[in-house]
Amino acid sequence: MPELPEVELARQVLTDALGRRIRDVDDHDDWVCRPHAPGDIAAALRGGRLTGAHRRGKTLWCETESGAGRPGPHLGLHLGMAGQLRFGGRSGPPGRAREREEKPEWFRFGITFADGEQLRLFDTRRLSRVRLDPDLDALGPDAGEVSRREFRERVGRGRAPVKARLLDQSVLAGIGNLLADESLWQAAIAPARPVNELSGDDLANLHKALRKALRAAIEHGGVHTGEIIPHRRAGDHCPRCGAALTHGTVGGRSTWWCPAEQI
């Protein structure tokens, strides 16, 4: 499941498509493009331009401009479980090696520009989403931009397990299962620990660990490159202290942690 780092890499691909005149739009997939009917998104974008590429958490959107130069609707893009944006030989987020033969139906949405370049959404599982003017009101602040003070106020409120609080997209947008495990391991905090038991120093350390994990994941190609992530399996050990990792469920999600260090 793409998390904030993977979606940021996809946003960077989008920036290459900005400013180009839109010649045509392929919005034939009425599941990916719901609730819009085929042709609705094309009619709204054709002749215009993409003028800005933005992200909050796992949600992408582009500002647009109409052919007459007036602001157009926002184009929302959600990658689902396995979606990729492809443009000019770039792919974001990076995925597995491409299939030898990619079926045409796996390309769920596309924009063809006047210069012949194409921006395409590739998704073998059909779980991605494209829509005009996406609603962002339910999302909390972006996990990569939240200040230490706001992080402490949002994450430290209530009695939920800290991992469950991190995964709540209305609290912070962009943290998924792997990023939560990586950040909590970096900060040496047990994932099931109630947030009301965390001290100010604990929350400051967790905020710092989250920022560090995000920067590393974006730099290295995704959250799967984290330090603890390759060790999240039966029989493996903490890469810091060598203790056997513990597995359980926190916040309804499969969770791994070091019982010797994460307290």
Side-chain angles (χ1 to χ4, degrees):
M1 179 71 176
E3 302 187 27
L4 188 156
E6 287 79 10
V7 179
E8 172 57 23
L9 293 169
R11 189 198 67 80
Q12 293 173 13
V13 171
L14 274 177
T15 62
D16 289 345
L18 300 181
R20 301 167 189 259
R21 179 74 63 185
I22 297 171
R23 187 174 73 203
D24 203 5
V25 176
D26 176 5
D27 60 355
H28 73 280
D29 193 312
D30 57 3
W31 179 252
V32 169
C33 296
R34 67 189 189 280
H36 308 294
D40 287 351
I41 298 177
L45 300 183
R46 192 179 291 118
R49 303 176 191 271
L50 306 180
T51 58
H54 305 280
R55 178 192 53 73
R56 188 191 299 177
K58 306 174 189 180
T59 298
L60 285 168
W61 73 96
C62 286
E63 294 178 79
T64 73
E65 178 183 277
S66 73
R70 293 187 295 270
H74 288 173
L75 173 66
L77 300 158
H78 196 285
L79 300 178
M81 292 288 288
Q84 293 181 345
L85 289 177
R86 296 184 181 176
F87 181 80
R90 293 184 65 191
S91 177
R96 299 175 181 174
R98 294 187 180 183
E99 304 281 346
R100 289 185 178 178
E101 294 184 10
E102 294 180 341
K103 298 179 181 178
E105 59 265 30
W106 291 345
F107 291 91
R108 309 296 179 179
F109 175 81
I111 297 176
T112 301
F113 298 96
D115 60 6
E117 290 281 9
Q118 288 186 310
L119 173 69
R120 298 195 292 173
L121 173 61
F122 178 83
D123 184 4
T124 59
R125 302 187 64 179
R126 208 186 183 198
L127 296 174
S128 51
R129 188 82 182 273
V130 180
R131 68 177 306 170
L132 299 175
D133 293 322
D135 185 3
L136 305 178
D137 290 344
L139 295 177
D142 186 85
E145 299 178 0
V146 64
S147 68
R148 183 189 301 179
R149 178 178 178 179
E150 189 174 14
F151 180 89
R152 183 174 63 246
E153 292 172 350
R154 285 179 165 271
V155 175
R157 184 175 60 239
R159 304 178 66 179
V162 61
K163 180 174 180 179
R165 182 56 52 85
L166 290 175
L167 293 175
D168 187 339
Q169 300 301 297
S170 68
V171 175
L172 295 177
I175 302 176
N177 200 39
L178 298 185
L179 184 57
D181 278 4
E182 176 72 18
S183 301
L184 289 165
W185 177 78
Q186 292 279 3
I189 294 173
R193 193 169 165 191
V195 294
N196 63 321
E197 294 182 5
L198 298 177
S199 68
D201 286 345
D202 288 332
L203 290 166
N205 288 338
L206 181 55
H207 178 258
K208 182 179 180 180
L210 172 62
R211 297 294 294 270
K212 176 184 175 183
L214 283 170
R215 287 193 300 268
I218 293 169
E219 179 181 352
H220 296 125
V223 71
H224 65 283
T225 62
E227 293 183 53
I228 193 65
I229 306 308
H231 304 278
R232 296 171 76 258
R233 57 189 179 188
D236 215 328
H237 298 77
C238 173
R240 253 192 324 241
C241 73
L245 293 178
T246 298
H247 178 252
T249 301
V250 180
R253 304 298 300 275
S254 177
T255 302
W256 294 85
W257 68 96
C258 173
E261 295 187 343
Q262 290 179 256
I263 57 175

